[in-house]
Amino acid sequence: MEGYLGSYATLGLVIGAGVLVFVGAFAANRLLRPADPAEPPGKYIAYESGIDPVGGDWAQAQIRYYVYAYLYVLFAVEAVFLFPWAVVFDRPGFGAATVTEMAIFVAVLALGILYAWRKKILTWT
Protein backbone atom coordinates (compact mmCIF):
# COMPACT_ATOMS: atom_id res chain seq x y z
CA MET A 1 0.00 0.00 0.00
CA GLU A 2 1.38 3.31 -1.08
CA GLY A 3 0.62 6.88 -0.25
CA TYR A 4 -0.11 8.91 2.81
CA LEU A 5 -2.70 6.56 4.31
CA GLY A 6 -1.02 3.33 3.20
CA SER A 7 0.60 2.60 6.54
CA TYR A 8 -2.70 3.22 8.33
CA ALA A 9 -4.45 0.81 5.98
CA THR A 10 -1.82 -1.83 6.74
CA LEU A 11 -2.26 -1.24 10.45
CA GLY A 12 -6.04 -1.52 10.05
CA LEU A 13 -5.68 -4.83 8.21
CA VAL A 14 -3.40 -6.24 10.90
CA ILE A 15 -5.79 -5.15 13.66
CA GLY A 16 -8.72 -6.60 11.72
CA ALA A 17 -6.88 -9.92 11.28
CA GLY A 18 -6.13 -9.96 15.02
CA VAL A 19 -9.79 -9.37 15.86
CA LEU A 20 -10.83 -12.14 13.46
CA VAL A 21 -8.39 -14.59 15.07
CA PHE A 22 -9.64 -13.60 18.54
CA VAL A 23 -13.32 -13.99 17.59
CA GLY A 24 -12.57 -17.22 15.70
CA ALA A 25 -10.82 -18.75 18.71
CA PHE A 26 -13.76 -17.98 21.00
CA ALA A 27 -16.25 -19.24 18.41
CA ALA A 28 -14.30 -22.50 18.02
CA ASN A 29 -14.22 -22.88 21.78
CA ARG A 30 -17.97 -22.42 21.99
CA LEU A 31 -18.60 -24.94 19.20
CA LEU A 32 -16.18 -27.62 20.38
CA ARG A 33 -16.76 -27.61 24.13
CA PRO A 34 -18.96 -30.24 25.74
CA ALA A 35 -22.55 -29.14 26.27
CA ASP A 36 -22.78 -30.58 29.79
CA PRO A 37 -19.33 -31.06 31.29
CA ALA A 38 -18.92 -33.89 33.78
CA GLU A 39 -18.79 -33.01 37.46
CA PRO A 40 -16.96 -35.89 39.15
CA PRO A 41 -16.89 -35.88 42.94
CA GLY A 42 -13.92 -34.03 44.36
CA LYS A 43 -13.30 -31.99 41.23
CA TYR A 44 -12.90 -28.72 43.12
CA ILE A 45 -10.70 -30.07 45.94
CA ALA A 46 -7.13 -28.79 45.99
CA TYR A 47 -4.65 -31.44 44.90
CA GLU A 48 -0.91 -31.40 45.46
CA SER A 49 1.47 -34.18 44.38
CA GLY A 50 -1.09 -36.94 44.79
CA ILE A 51 -1.75 -36.12 48.44
CA ASP A 52 -5.11 -34.89 49.67
CA PRO A 53 -4.84 -31.61 51.55
CA VAL A 54 -4.88 -31.75 55.33
CA GLY A 55 -5.47 -28.74 57.54
CA GLY A 56 -6.11 -25.15 56.59
CA ASP A 57 -5.38 -23.40 53.35
CA TRP A 58 -2.87 -20.92 54.77
CA ALA A 59 0.80 -21.71 55.24
CA GLN A 60 3.49 -19.39 56.46
CA ALA A 61 6.70 -19.19 54.45
CA GLN A 62 9.81 -17.50 55.72
CA ILE A 63 11.01 -14.41 53.87
CA ARG A 64 14.50 -15.88 53.75
CA TYR A 65 13.49 -18.20 50.87
CA TYR A 66 12.36 -15.25 48.79
CA VAL A 67 15.57 -13.39 49.57
CA TYR A 68 17.63 -16.37 48.41
CA ALA A 69 15.61 -16.57 45.21
CA TYR A 70 15.99 -12.83 44.63
CA LEU A 71 19.72 -12.93 45.23
CA TYR A 72 20.09 -15.91 42.92
CA VAL A 73 18.21 -14.21 40.10
CA LEU A 74 20.11 -10.98 40.67
CA PHE A 75 23.55 -12.58 40.50
CA ALA A 76 22.62 -15.00 37.72
CA VAL A 77 21.44 -12.15 35.50
CA GLU A 78 24.52 -10.12 36.32
CA ALA A 79 26.74 -13.13 35.57
CA VAL A 80 25.22 -13.24 32.09
CA PHE A 81 26.79 -9.83 31.46
CA LEU A 82 30.24 -11.36 31.97
CA PHE A 83 30.07 -13.39 28.74
CA PRO A 84 29.80 -10.45 26.31
CA TRP A 85 32.57 -8.72 28.26
CA ALA A 86 34.82 -11.73 27.80
CA VAL A 87 34.22 -11.64 24.04
CA VAL A 88 34.91 -7.89 23.74
CA PHE A 89 37.94 -8.03 26.03
CA ASP A 90 39.88 -10.12 23.51
CA ARG A 91 39.51 -7.54 20.72
CA PRO A 92 42.25 -4.97 20.17
CA GLY A 93 41.66 -1.50 21.55
CA PHE A 94 39.29 -2.51 24.35
CA GLY A 95 41.80 -3.62 27.00
CA ALA A 96 42.05 -0.85 29.61
CA ALA A 97 38.50 0.46 29.22
CA THR A 98 36.85 -2.95 29.53
CA VAL A 99 39.01 -3.94 32.51
CA THR A 100 38.01 -0.71 34.29
CA GLU A 101 34.32 -1.19 33.52
CA MET A 102 34.40 -4.80 34.67
CA ALA A 103 36.27 -3.84 37.84
CA ILE A 104 33.48 -1.39 38.68
CA PHE A 105 30.86 -4.01 37.82
CA VAL A 106 32.48 -6.69 39.99
CA ALA A 107 32.95 -4.14 42.80
CA VAL A 108 29.21 -3.43 42.80
CA LEU A 109 28.53 -7.19 42.90
CA ALA A 110 30.99 -7.62 45.76
CA LEU A 111 29.37 -4.74 47.60
CA GLY A 112 25.98 -6.45 47.26
CA ILE A 113 27.31 -9.75 48.54
CA LEU A 114 29.10 -7.98 51.40
CA TYR A 115 25.87 -6.19 52.35
CA ALA A 116 23.90 -9.46 52.32
CA TRP A 117 26.62 -11.16 54.37
CA ARG A 118 26.80 -8.36 56.96
CA LYS A 119 22.99 -8.39 57.37
CA LYS A 120 23.28 -12.17 57.95
CA ILE A 121 20.97 -12.88 55.05
CA LEU A 122 23.26 -15.60 53.71
CA THR A 123 23.30 -17.68 56.91
CA TRP A 124 21.11 -20.75 56.73
CA THR A 125 19.37 -21.70 59.96
Side-chain angles (χ1 to χ4, degrees):
M1 307 218 168
E2 301 282 332
Y4 179 71
L5 296 176
S7 59
Y8 290 111
T10 304
L11 178 66
L13 287 174
V14 169
I15 290 174
V19 168
L20 282 176
V21 167
F22 182 77
V23 170
F26 274 93
N29 181 25
R30 186 161 185 98
L31 289 174
L32 298 176
R33 72 178 182 187
D36 189 19
E39 294 288 338
K43 180 176 181 179
Y44 296 111
I45 294 176
Y47 184 75
E48 181 75 29
S49 302
I51 301 171
D52 289 330
V54 177
D57 60 349
W58 185 82
Q60 184 177 2
Q62 292 186 7
I63 191 68
R64 143 180 332 126
Y65 302 125
Y66 297 106
V67 171
Y68 275 111
Y70 177 73
L71 286 173
Y72 171 75
V73 169
L74 179 72
F75 290 112
V77 167
E78 289 179 350
V80 168
F81 290 119
L82 293 173
F83 294 108
W85 172 78
V87 171
V88 171
F89 180 70
D90 193 24
R91 295 186 182 157
F94 287 102
T98 54
V99 168
T100 304
E101 289 173 357
M102 191 49 62
I104 293 170
F105 182 73
V106 170
V108 169
L109 285 179
L111 190 64
I113 291 176
L114 180 67
Y115 175 78
W117 180 61
R118 297 275 291 192
K119 291 288 187 177
K120 299 194 187 303
I121 293 172
L122 300 177
T123 56
W124 190 266
T125 57

